[in-house]
């Protein structure tokens, strides 16, 4: 048992020991927001020590009782002196194994009264208890990998989330994000911003939530089936900041999108309406640019004709009459015309003209329709006119 603990616990530090030189290379694989960059200007060979009979607990015995990531688990001179006679080396005596300062501190000259380069291993932005894992007989190699071919350990030997999920599957151990990741006191959601970086799902994460390029185009399906996971990090206001259509994200709509959007709008109006409201956004914008019946006359283009001549479009019933066209694609009409445009002719309240928009025989069913929901009726009719038509 003791030997297993040692094999496992050495890996804990192994992962910390190597970081100084290798952090830039492994930063692509281990999030800086979780494991901040380390600087460990040491010369060390785990493979050599394990081959010589050293075990994990030989150098990292403190890990067995550690309950916090803030605990320092790297060995100091005290642990090294169990094998390396540092005091004899300081006196100039020959030692085996070597124990001079520059054995582990390359470039350090003890004759110059300066301290060796500082080892900097920042605290990981995680909640972790080594003791709990050791008590449950989790081997060090389970999380940190085998060290038999590792020299100076790096951030590459720190566990990734996929490794954690081998046990944290909701059955053996909790799979809630807050089990390991720090949370914000006020909201309970995960803390995303740290001095070392921003927490963001990376490529290959086990949840399939790679927030890489173009994720804004693909996140909708995942959010609809696993919203609770999204809510671990995001509030509803985060969604609304993009979906309220008040600001155009350049990643969604490229430059000069104004000249291109009609084509996409005709092909995929449902996608457009997931962010934009036709009446408050499309119609309003079209009016400001001179498109639409309610636009200022000075803004209307003089060389563009959208509809057929007035008689064909308004007066004479036929295949090009606006009523027929509207019944086929009302969404297209609504992109330029507001509801008030229709009511200017088709409402009982209109002072301009009152053209009945209902089909023949509608009077026989109007009472049933009004009793079911008269909100649509009252758009054009008063209570009095509904009663007069027998709809009350």
């Amino acid at each position: 048992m003791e030997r297993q603990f040692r094999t496992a616990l050495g890996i804990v530090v192994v992962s910390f020991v190597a970081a100084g030189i290798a952090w830039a290379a492994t930063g692509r694989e281990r999030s800086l927001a979780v494991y901040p960059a380390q600087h460990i200007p040491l010369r060390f060979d785990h493979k050599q020590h394990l081959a010589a009979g050293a075990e994990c607990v030989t150098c990292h015995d403190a890990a067995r009782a550690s309950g916090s990531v803030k605990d320092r688990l790297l060995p100091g001179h005290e642990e090294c002196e169990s094998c390396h006679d540092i005091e004899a080396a300081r006196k100039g005596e020959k030692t085996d194994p070597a124990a001079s300062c520059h054995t582990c501190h390359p470039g350090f000259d003890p004759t110059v009264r300066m301290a060796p380069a500082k080892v900097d291993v920042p605290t990981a932005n995680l909640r972790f208890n080594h003791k709990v894992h050791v008590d449950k007989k989790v081997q060090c190699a389970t999380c940190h990998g085998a060290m038999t071919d590792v020299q100076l350990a790096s951030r590459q030997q720190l566990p990734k989330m996929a490794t954690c999920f081998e046990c944290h599957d909701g059955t053996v151990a909790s799979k809630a994000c807050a089990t390991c990741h720090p949370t914000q006191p006020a909201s309970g959601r995960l803390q995303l911003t740290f001095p070392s970086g921003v927490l963001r799902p990376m490529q290959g994460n086990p949840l399939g939530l790679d927030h890489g390029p173009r994720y804004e185009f693909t996140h909708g399906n995942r959010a609809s089936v696993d919203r609770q996971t999204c809510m671990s990090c995001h509030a509803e206001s985060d969604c609304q900041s993009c979906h309220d259509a008040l600001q155009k994200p350049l990643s969604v709509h490229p430059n000069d999108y104004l000249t291109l959007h009609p084509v996409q709008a005709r092909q995929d109006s449902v996608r457009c309406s997931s962010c934009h409201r036709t009446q408050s956004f499309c119609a309003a914008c079209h009016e400001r640019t001179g498109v639409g019946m309610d636009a200022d006359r000075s803004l209307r283009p003089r060389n563009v004709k959208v509809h057929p001549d007035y008689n064909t479009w308004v007066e004479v019933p036929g295949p090009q009459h606006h009523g027929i066209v509207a019944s086929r694609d009302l969404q297209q009409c609504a992109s330029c015309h507001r509801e008030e445009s229709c009511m200017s002719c088709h409402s009982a309240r209109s002072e301009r003209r009152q053209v009945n928009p209902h089909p023949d025989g509608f009077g026989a069913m109007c009472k049933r329709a009004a009793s079911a929901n008269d909100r649509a009726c009252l758009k054009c009719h008063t209570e009095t006119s509904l009663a007069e038509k027998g709809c009350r």
Side-chain angles (χ1 to χ4, degrees):
M1 176 66 73
E2 180 74 8
R3 186 177 189 84
Q4 291 175 334
F5 281 145
R6 291 180 177 179
T7 304
L9 291 174
I11 299 169
V12 175
V13 178
V14 172
S15 45
F16 291 131
V17 172
I21 299 172
W23 75 266
T26 59
R28 294 189 299 271
E29 303 171 19
R30 301 294 190 277
S31 171
L32 288 169
V34 177
Y35 303 121
Q38 304 167 340
H39 181 63
I40 305 180
L42 297 175
R43 182 188 292 120
F44 192 82
D45 191 330
H46 280 84
K47 178 180 178 180
Q48 180 181 357
H49 283 72
L50 290 172
E55 299 179 345
C56 297
V57 293
T58 303
C59 300
H60 309 296
D61 185 61
R64 289 192 289 182
S66 171
S68 170
V69 292
K70 295 181 180 179
D71 296 336
R72 183 173 177 82
L73 305 180
L74 291 174
H77 280 182
E78 183 179 349
E79 287 80 10
C80 299
E81 283 176 331
S82 62
C83 297
H84 297 269
D85 193 344
I86 297 176
E87 191 58 38
R90 282 176 177 165
K91 296 176 181 177
E93 299 176 11
K94 223 174 187 182
T95 62
D96 186 20
S100 62
C101 295
H102 59 78
T103 300
C104 297
H105 300 279
F108 174 64
D109 184 356
T111 61
V112 180
R113 294 183 176 276
M114 291 180 63
K118 184 179 178 181
V119 173
D120 183 20
V121 181
T123 300
N125 295 313
L126 288 174
R127 294 169 174 159
F128 190 82
N129 187 317
H130 274 90
K131 184 179 186 304
V132 167
H133 288 74
V134 172
D135 290 346
K136 290 183 179 293
K137 306 298 186 291
V138 178
Q139 302 301 310
C140 301
T142 300
C143 299
H144 300 286
M147 305 303 297
T148 51
D149 292 318
V150 176
Q151 294 183 340
L152 183 66
S154 70
R155 294 168 72 247
Q156 187 69 26
Q157 278 69 51
L158 292 171
K160 298 185 72 174
M161 193 162 62
T163 301
C164 303
F165 274 4
E166 292 177 7
C167 294
H168 287 268
D169 57 0
T171 303
V172 178
S174 172
K175 64 177 182 180
C177 301
T179 303
C180 300
H181 291 282
T183 56
Q184 304 174 54
S187 65
R189 287 186 290 274
L190 300 192
Q191 181 179 344
L192 303 181
T193 304
F194 300 91
S196 57
V198 177
L199 185 63
R200 183 182 178 94
M202 302 169 70
Q203 185 176 11
N205 79 87
L207 292 177
L209 293 176
D210 176 17
H211 284 33
R214 310 288 290 177
Y215 185 67
E216 63 269 26
F217 292 102
T218 60
H219 73 282
N221 289 338
R222 185 55 187 265
S224 65
V225 299
D226 192 9
R227 192 171 186 79
Q228 197 58 42
T229 299
C230 301
M231 292 295 103
S232 298
C233 297
H234 302 286
E236 289 289 345
S237 57
D238 297 328
C239 305
Q240 292 303 319
S241 64
C242 285
H243 287 277
D244 61 5
L246 296 178
Q247 183 173 352
K248 180 191 74 172
L250 289 176
S251 59
V252 176
H253 294 324
N255 291 334
D256 198 31
Y257 187 71
L258 282 178
T259 60
L260 304 174
H261 80 282
V263 175
Q264 188 176 41
R266 291 190 182 98
Q267 294 174 340
D268 197 1
S269 62
V270 175
R271 183 177 179 186
C272 300
S273 61
S274 66
C275 291
H276 304 288
R277 293 190 180 99
T278 304
Q279 287 287 282
S280 61
F281 185 86
C282 302
C285 183
H286 290 168
E287 288 169 7
R288 291 195 300 272
T289 54
V291 181
M293 193 174 76
D294 296 325
D296 188 289
R297 289 184 176 277
S298 64
L299 298 175
R300 295 181 187 176
R302 294 179 174 84
N303 60 342
V304 176
K305 188 174 182 180
V306 178
H307 304 308
D309 65 82
Y310 181 82
N311 283 334
T312 303
W313 183 246
V314 178
E315 300 293 348
V316 182
Q320 289 188 297
H321 188 272
H322 74 280
I324 301 298
V325 175
S327 66
R328 292 173 181 160
D329 189 1
L330 186 61
Q331 189 77 14
Q332 181 172 307
C333 303
S335 65
C336 292
H337 299 283
R338 296 182 183 275
E339 193 174 62
E340 293 81 356
S341 304
C342 304
M343 292 172 60
S344 65
C345 293
H346 293 293
S347 170
R349 303 169 184 266
S350 174
E351 297 179 358
R352 180 180 172 186
R353 59 192 296 187
Q354 297 181 7
V355 180
N356 183 6
H358 300 303
D360 293 339
F362 184 78
M365 59 176 292
C366 72
K367 189 170 185 177
R368 186 172 70 242
S371 63
N373 182 3
D374 64 359
R375 292 180 63 185
C377 306
L378 293 173
K379 283 281 188 179
C380 298
H381 299 280
T382 63
E383 293 278 3
T384 304
S385 67
L386 283 179
E388 290 175 351
K389 293 178 181 296
C391 296
R392 282 283 190 240

